[in-house]
Amino acid sequence: MTANRQTSWAFADAYVAEDEALHWARDRAREAGLRSVSPGTGAALRLLAASVDAKAVAEIGTGCGVSGIHLLHGMRPDGVLTTVDQEPEHQQSARQAFRDAGFAGNRARFIPGPALDVLPRLADAGYDLVFCDGDRREYQDYLAESLRLLRPGGLVAFEGVFANGRTMDSGPQPTEVLRLRELVRAVRESQELVSSLLPMGDGLLCAVKR
């Protein structure tokens, strides 16, 4: 990669200034050993949520609230974020981060539990956007659930599909990376989706449901 391209990516990552609530959420995630979306990815999530005029968003992987804050900023003022995570203590941090960011308590619905147990209980065609940042080995399953959850014209996004460059590496790779390759191929070849792979953060795969 050229130095100019690296500089451009760094500029894009810093384009949206993050406030104290986001910095606090990032610090909590770092202390918990969790990865957070990059600022550039967060900005893309805001844009995507705004582009579909999102009123109902499902998030797989609450973490400590970094991506959720970005999504809420892009959603309609009356929109509700439904966020799923296996770790209730992480969701408590996210709840505090959302409050600090100025969002009312009724703007987010926290559901603890494994994603593949929770998602089947959510309403068919009830969501404008689904953001997937959970177990990357389960992304293919999240895709199937997302197609059911999304309304026509809704959008699904997958975080981390570059896997720190391993997805494009021709050498032997772990199961997680092989599953990511299958996901990228499935989304690209689907007749139900219009897709794009955005070079933000560790790769953001986006697709609109026809």
Side-chain angles (χ1 to χ4, degrees), residues 16-19 22 26 37-47 49-50 65-75 98 103:
V16 172
E18 295 194 329
D19 59 18
L22 277 163
R26 286 192 182 283
V37 299
S38 72
T41 300
L45 292 175
R46 292 190 191 205
L47 176 67
V66 175
S67 54
I69 290 175
H70 281 292
L71 288 164
L72 284 164
H73 276 303
M75 295 169 64
F98 293 174
F103 296 110

Side-chain angles (χ1 to χ4, degrees), residues 15-206:
Y15 179 71
V16 172
E18 295 194 329
D19 59 18
E20 287 303 314
L22 277 163
H23 289 308
W24 184 89
R26 286 192 182 283
D27 288 343
R28 299 293 81 71
R30 194 175 301 112
E31 292 168 3
L34 301 175
R35 61 178 184 264
S36 297
V37 299
S38 72
T41 300
L45 292 175
R46 292 190 191 205
L47 176 67
L48 294 172
S51 70
V52 295
D53 194 28
K55 184 175 182 180
V57 173
E59 176 186 46
I60 303 167
T62 308
C64 292
V66 175
S67 54
I69 290 175
H70 281 292
L71 288 164
L72 284 164
H73 276 303
M75 295 169 64
R76 290 168 48 167
D78 59 345
V80 175
L81 173 69
T82 297
T83 184
V84 180
D85 201 289
Q86 292 196 78
E87 303 296 339
E89 63 270 26
H90 297 162
Q91 292 189 320
Q92 287 302 318
S93 295
R95 194 186 301 272
Q96 179 63 51
F98 293 174
R99 281 198 298 265
D100 292 347
F103 296 110
N106 63 358
R107 292 293 310 280
R109 177 171 63 143
F110 294 88
I111 305 180
L116 295 181
D117 290 345
V118 174
L119 294 176
R121 307 203 304 263
L122 303 184
D124 292 5
Y127 293 84
D128 305 299
L129 190 154
V130 178
F131 174 56
C132 304
D133 190 18
D135 186 339
R136 294 171 184 172
R137 295 168 298 180
E138 297 179 346
Y139 270 15
Q140 283 271 48
D141 298 307
Y142 298 167
L143 174 61
E145 287 294 329
S146 296
L147 289 173
R148 180 184 62 80
L149 293 173
L150 287 170
R151 62 165 173 80
L155 192 150
V156 62
F158 295 88
E159 159 65 6
V161 295
F162 289 166
N164 295 315
R166 292 178 298 166
T167 304
M168 292 75 73
D169 191 330
S170 60
Q173 297 296 339
T175 299
E176 174 185 296
V177 175
L178 299 179
R179 295 281 172 80
L180 286 172
R181 289 176 180 169
E182 292 170 0
L183 171 76
V184 170
R185 187 180 307 112
V187 169
R188 183 181 60 200
E189 295 176 355
S190 173
Q191 298 301 305
E192 295 182 76
L193 298 169
V194 178
S195 64
S196 181
L197 180 51
L198 305 182
M200 310 299 301
D202 197 23
L204 187 67
L205 178 62
C206 306

